[in-house]
Amino acid sequence: DADVTQTPRNRITKTGKRIMLECSQTKGHDRMYWYRQDPGLGLQLIYYSFDVKDINKGEISDGYSVSRQAQAKFSLSLESAIPNQTALYFCATSDILGGQFFGPGTRLTVL
Amino acid sequence: KQEVTQIPAALSVPEGENLVLNCSFTDSAIYNLQWFRQDPGKGLTSLLLIQSSQREQTSGRLNASLDKSSGRSTLYIAASQPGDSATYLCATAGSARQLTFGSGTQLTVLP
C-alpha cells in the first residue's frame, strides 16, 4: 500500500463550488505539505503543517484553506473554485532529515 | 525569497551518453537540496537528497553535487537509457523543510 494517498485522483467541478482534497499518510511523519503544479512548471507550496495545532501559509495560499484532522490526515479545501485553480495538487510528508515523500497527485479541473 | 532555476528546460540525447542537469538557487541558507523524477501525469519520485553540510550523493548511475557558496547543484546521469526519459526537478528545502522547486528539465533519451 502507498505511504501517502490522495483522494480523489481526478475531479472536475464548476466555478463557485466548494471542493475538498484529502491526504492520508502511514509514514508517521508530523510534517505535511500541500503543493500545486501548473503545466510545465515546478511545484508551489500552498500550506504546510508541523502538527495538528500548527498550520502555516505557503507562497500561494489565497483561495485555499486546510484542516489537519489528525497526524495522518491533512485536507485542502477550495472554498469557491475558480478556473485558474485548475492544476495538479500534491500532498507530501517530511521526515526528520527533510526528505519528502509525495502522494500520487489529484488532477483538478475547474470549468 | 528563494528562486530555483533549472537549465536546460529540455534535453534530448542518444542512449548511452553521459549527461549533466543544472540547478541554481539564489539563497544559500538551505537545509538540503533534493532531486526528483516525474513521469508524465505521475507523482514525484525522490532520487537524491544532499544535506547542506554535504557536497555530493550517489545512487547507482546518478550523482548529485552541491556547492552552496555558488548556489549550484548538478545531477550527473551516466550511461543514459531510454527509461531515464522523464522530467527532473530540483528543489531546495528551507528551515521548515518546505520545498522550493525549479521548473524542471524534460529529458528524452533516444534509443
Side-chain angles (χ1 to χ4, degrees):
Chain A
D1 288 341
D3 295 321
V4 183
T5 58
Q6 294 183 233
T7 56
R9 295 293 312 279
N10 290 281
R11 181 71 184 268
I12 300 174
T13 191
K14 295 182 178 180
T15 297
K17 294 291 188 181
R18 184 178 188 273
I19 298 296
M20 179 179 286
L21 309 182
E22 299 185 345
C23 176
S24 295
Q25 54 115 345
T26 58
K27 299 191 74 68
H29 295 160
D30 288 326
R31 299 171 189 247
M32 297 187 73
Y33 307 79
W34 275 104
Y35 294 91
R36 164 184 171 153
Q37 185 177 33
D38 292 288
L41 300 179
L43 283 68
Q44 294 176 282
L45 181 65
I46 307 172
Y47 271 95
Y48 60 102
S49 170
F50 290 165
D51 62 40
V52 294
K53 296 181 181 179
D54 189 348
I55 293 176
N56 304 275
K57 293 182 178 180
E59 54 189 313
I60 57 164
S61 59
D62 288 348
Y64 301 95
S65 63
V66 291
S67 173
R68 186 81 183 268
Q69 299 95 325
Q71 186 205 37
K73 296 184 181 296
F74 192 34
S75 300
L76 176 72
S77 293
L78 287 67
E79 298 301 325
S80 180
I82 56 177
N84 75 2
Q85 291 178 313
T86 293
L88 192 54
Y89 290 84
F90 288 102
C91 174
T93 70
S94 176
D95 63 19
I96 193 169
L97 295 178
Q100 291 212 359
F101 304 86
F102 283 80
T106 294
R107 186 170 300 279
L108 177 65
T109 302
V110 183
L111 302 176
Chain B
K1 178 189 172 188
Q2 178 76 284
E3 293 182 4
V4 180
T5 303
Q6 292 186 247
I7 295 174
L11 179 65
S12 183
V13 300
E15 181 177 5
E17 268 202 12
N18 303 324
L19 60 99
V20 174
L21 306 182
N22 295 294
C23 173
S24 62
F25 48 94
T26 56
D27 185 352
S28 63
I30 61 173
Y31 187 78
N32 64 42
L33 184 142
Q34 299 174 52
W35 284 93
F36 295 89
R37 169 184 173 139
Q38 185 176 28
D39 292 288
K42 299 291 181 67
L44 279 69
T45 300
S46 179
L47 297 174
L48 290 165
L49 183 154
I50 311 176
Q51 298 294 347
S52 62
S53 59
Q54 298 175 322
R55 294 297 297 250
E56 67 176 342
Q57 282 288 338
T58 297
S59 176
R61 295 183 293 108
L62 306 180
N63 175 277
S65 68
L66 173 63
D67 184 343
K68 283 201 326 177
S69 62
S70 66
R72 294 171 190 256
S73 175
T74 61
L75 178 66
Y76 175 83
I77 302 176
S80 59
Q81 303 170 357
D84 294 330
S85 298
T87 295
Y88 290 81
L89 295 163
C90 165
T92 61
S95 58
R97 318 296 186 265
Q98 77 280 23
L99 296 180
T100 300
F101 282 83
S103 296
T105 293
Q106 185 174 351
L107 173 66
T108 303
V109 181
L110 303 170

